[in-house]
Amino acid sequence: MLPHSVSNEVPEHPCVSPVSNQVFERRLIEKYIAENGVDPMNSQPLSEEQLIDIKVSHPIRPKAPSSTSIPAILKALQDEWDAVMLHSFTLRQQLQTTRQELSHALYQHDAACRVIARLTKEVTAAREALATLKPQAGLVAPQSMPASQCFLFSKYSSLCCFVGMTPEIIQKLQDKATVLTTERKKRGKTVPEELVRAEDLSKYRQVASHAGLHSASVPGILCMDLCPSDTNKVLTGGADKNVVVFDKKEEQIIATLKGHTKKVTSVIYHPSQSVVFSASPDSTIRVWSVTGGNCIQVVRAHEASVTGLSLHATGDYLLSSSEDQYWAFSDIQTGQVLTKVTDEAAGVALTCAQFHPDGLIFGTGTADSQIKIWDLKERTNVANFPGHSGPVTSIAFSENGYYLATGAQDSSVKLWDLRKLKNFKTIALDNNYEVKSLVFDQSGTYLAVGGSDIRVYICKQWSEVLNFSDHSGLVTGLAFGDNAQFLSSAGMDRSLKFYSL
């Protein structure tokens, strides 16, 4: 291959000029023509189109003689090694800098998370404090009680008198009881036609189970209730301190109500308002707006754990029991305690409380196995039912107004006749059976027992018609749907279950 006529080097893409018959590197000659328009050898006019390519195999250029000597090779290797070492040193420096930056960023992130958590806690506390001052759902704001109505309370007194328990309130309770008694007499002993028959009830099976209502980190649903006006709405209280309203039909949570500082042990759904109630060992009773999703009233009736909660038939008053040995009767609209009573002679904690369907009497269970019947108007203990051993865990009045069912830590359920004031039936359960919940259906035909499992008995015969063992933990809450069309249960396994045909 001839050398390039200009550079005297072997061209990579050779071409011939027909004007001077010289060989050129195409790249260089094209550049020269573009600038001058003539052949570089004889200055005759020349264009790129006139150039003729020469087809040759690409040559391999020999290395310079200086690169093939041993000293040159050693120098090249030394230079390469030095370059590699310098690059490695630079990478180590960059790695150290990146580590420091990452450490600083993680420290800042951790500090930011702590600040956010503290601020979130403060905001939550502020919202709860504000919520207690914002009445909703038709409830009036709490008014300061006049000095004449301030109660005198002492741990040594057997009766705490409140001027708030006025003759007007007592008359209101009496009028409601008269109406309810009249309605019960009209119904007589007839069983509603829509009521599920025992043979159909015995065919009930689990049809739904929901385990995502409460936190898995603190598992357990401790209580439940159904909305009387819409039994598709289910209310639960959990060990996670939350109150949850769940729609059975839509299978979704309507509201999660947060505010208690300890687990929630009692819940009640108001029969006519979008309002629910809850009680907790944090010694408070809270009134919640379901639509607003917030606490609208805090009733501070007790100085220890609230163990029982029951709503009066008027829908305006709450009965509560506590480990402070008192039961209290409170106005849900004002949050004021109207009366607070204890049995000074007994001096024992109360474990549960329940209104009689008429609302003029109620029952409480005690830690020393007693069931006490109280007259609300007179605020006096009118009857005692001994017989259990161990703390009473649950009591339930039948809608017929005659029967009282009680359970205690003695693996038994006792039935009491309120007319004769005596125990007429004892249902002995398995050894170590723990009774946690008792409930009659609205007609008083069936009695459900929850605890180690679920059992349903038909009243009068007191024979077992159902037995479910689907919960993996203790059953803590039971409720019948309208006319016993379904049975719902909640338990320590964090699940809410429904049973029907």
Side-chain angles (χ1 to χ4, degrees):
M1 174 66 68
L2 294 174
H4 190 292
S5 298
V6 176
S7 65
N8 289 323
E9 293 182 357
V10 178
E12 293 183 6
H13 301 286
C15 62
V16 176
S17 168
V19 176
S20 62
N21 295 324
Q22 296 294 321
V23 177
F24 298 97
E25 169 65 54
R26 174 172 277 278
R27 175 177 56 81
L28 297 177
I29 190 62
E30 285 179 349
K31 184 176 181 182
Y32 187 86
I33 292 171
E35 293 176 354
N36 302 287
V38 296
D39 188 300
M41 303 306 296
N42 55 19
S43 299
Q44 295 295 320
L46 179 65
S47 64
E48 293 183 11
E49 290 77 11
Q50 291 178 279
L51 297 176
I52 301 170
D53 288 328
I54 300 175
K55 293 184 178 181
V56 294
S57 58
H58 291 288
I60 299 175
R61 296 183 180 182
K63 291 184 178 181
S66 60
S67 300
T68 58
S69 65
I70 291 177
I73 293 173
L74 290 175
K75 184 177 185 307
L77 291 174
Q78 182 65 46
D79 292 343
E80 185 69 23
W81 172 259
D82 292 343
V84 170
M85 290 299 100
L86 285 172
H87 184 63
S88 175
F89 176 74
T90 303
L91 289 178
R92 285 199 299 271
Q93 281 188 321
Q94 292 176 348
L95 176 61
Q96 182 64 24
T97 302
T98 304
R99 281 177 173 171
Q100 290 178 345
E101 291 175 351
L102 177 61
S103 175
H104 185 62
L106 290 175
Y107 175 79
Q108 288 182 323
H109 179 268
D110 182 64
C113 287
R114 291 174 183 272
V115 172
I116 291 171
R118 179 175 58 80
L119 292 176
T120 302
K121 185 177 180 180
E122 291 177 358
V123 168
T124 302
R127 283 177 176 169
E128 290 174 4
L130 181 62
T132 61
L133 303 177
K134 284 188 174 182
Q136 290 189 16
L139 297 181
V140 299
Q143 304 292 326
S144 59
M145 182 180 284
S148 61
Q149 292 186 351
C150 292
F151 61 92
L152 302 174
F153 176 73
S154 166
K155 65 180 180 179
Y156 302 109
S157 63
S158 62
L159 181 64
C160 307
C161 296
F162 296 78
V163 180
M165 193 71 171
T166 61
E168 290 78 8
I169 293 176
I170 294 175
Q171 187 60 48
K172 184 179 179 180
L173 302 179
Q174 182 62 61
D175 292 345
K176 186 64 175 179
T178 302
V179 171
L180 293 173
T181 303
T182 302
E183 290 177 354
R184 182 177 299 107
K185 288 181 178 178
K186 285 182 180 179
R187 289 196 300 270
K189 297 181 180 180
T190 59
V191 176
E193 294 181 2
E194 300 84 2
L195 183 70
V196 174
R197 295 176 300 176
E199 53 266 32
D200 294 327
L201 188 70
S202 64
K203 299 175 184 176
Y204 275 16
R205 296 293 179 266
Q206 179 181 312
V207 294
S209 180
H210 306 278
L213 277 67
H214 290 271
S215 171
S217 59
V218 189
I221 299 176
L222 304 178
C223 49
M224 70 165 293
D225 192 25
L226 298 181
C227 176
S229 57
D230 181 5
T231 52
N232 282 316
K233 294 179 180 177
V234 186
L235 179 66
T236 62
D240 60 357
K241 310 173 190 175
N242 294 341
V243 178
V244 173
V245 184
F246 179 78
D247 190 310
K248 168 179 172 286
K249 186 176 181 181
E250 300 296 330
E251 296 189 341
Q252 65 181 13
I253 293 174
I254 299 174
T256 299
L257 309 171
K258 300 183 178 183
H260 282 293
T261 57
K262 293 184 179 180
K263 60 187 179 181
V264 179
T265 52
S266 302
V267 290
I268 298 175
Y269 215 122
H270 197 285
S272 59
Q273 299 182 39
S274 184
V275 172
V276 298
F277 310 92
S278 62
S280 166
D282 65 8
S283 76
T284 67
I285 301 165
R286 288 180 178 263
V287 185
W288 309 86
S289 166
V290 177
T291 52
N294 63 322
C295 178
I296 54 178
Q297 191 71 264
V298 179
V299 181
R300 304 185 185 278
H302 298 284
E303 298 179 351
S305 297
V306 183
T307 56
L309 204 59
S310 185
L311 182 66
H312 190 268
T314 57
D316 296 329
Y317 307 104
L318 275 176
L319 168 70
S320 57
S321 61
S322 171
E323 289 182 358
D324 65 5
Q325 304 178 15
Y326 282 83
W327 61 260
F329 185 67
S330 308
D331 187 323
I332 65 171
Q333 302 233 3
T334 64
Q336 293 174 351
V337 182
L338 301 179
T339 191
K340 190 172 178 181
V341 179
T342 186
D343 184 346
E344 194 176 58
V348 66
L350 303 183
T351 56
C352 51
Q354 185 71 42
F355 269 120
H356 183 273
D358 290 345
L360 289 183
I361 64 171
F362 62 90
T364 59
T366 69
D368 65 352
S369 72
Q370 295 280 323
I371 294 96
K372 295 180 177 292
I373 306 299
W374 299 80
D375 183 309
L376 178 59
K377 293 191 298 181
E378 301 297 329
R379 290 166 285 174
T380 55
N381 179 204
V382 294
N384 292 316
F385 293 148
H388 279 293
S389 59
V392 178
T393 55
S394 181
I395 64 175
F397 286 96
S398 171
E399 177 58 30
N400 66 17
Y402 304 140
Y403 296 153
L404 170 65
T406 61
Q409 293 181 9
D410 56 5
S411 302
S412 71
V413 174
K414 291 184 178 291
L415 283 306
W416 310 84
D417 190 320
L418 298 176
R419 295 164 296 183
K420 301 177 182 178
L421 300 179
K422 69 175 185 178
N423 170 224
F424 67 91
K425 177 70 179 180
T426 297
I427 302 174
L429 304 171
D430 306 335
N431 288 336
N432 300 319
Y433 188 102
E434 295 186 53
V435 180
K436 293 294 184 182
S437 178
L438 295 172
V439 62
F440 286 94
D441 75 299
Q442 291 88 338
S443 69
T445 306
Y446 303 112
L447 170 66
V449 180
S452 301
D453 58 19
I454 300 171
R455 304 182 184 193
V456 178
Y457 297 87
I458 185 168
C459 299
K460 296 186 178 179
Q461 293 95 325
W462 306 110
S463 56
E464 184 180 303
V465 293
L466 262 184
N467 190 316
F468 293 121
S469 300
D470 299 300
H471 283 280
S472 58
L474 286 174
V475 178
T476 53
L478 291 170
F480 282 100
D482 290 332
N483 296 307
Q485 295 292 331
F486 69 87
L487 176 66
S488 56
S489 65
M492 293 303 295
D493 58 359
R494 204 167 57 94
S495 69
L496 174 66
K497 298 181 183 294
F498 297 96
Y499 307 86
S500 67
L501 287 173

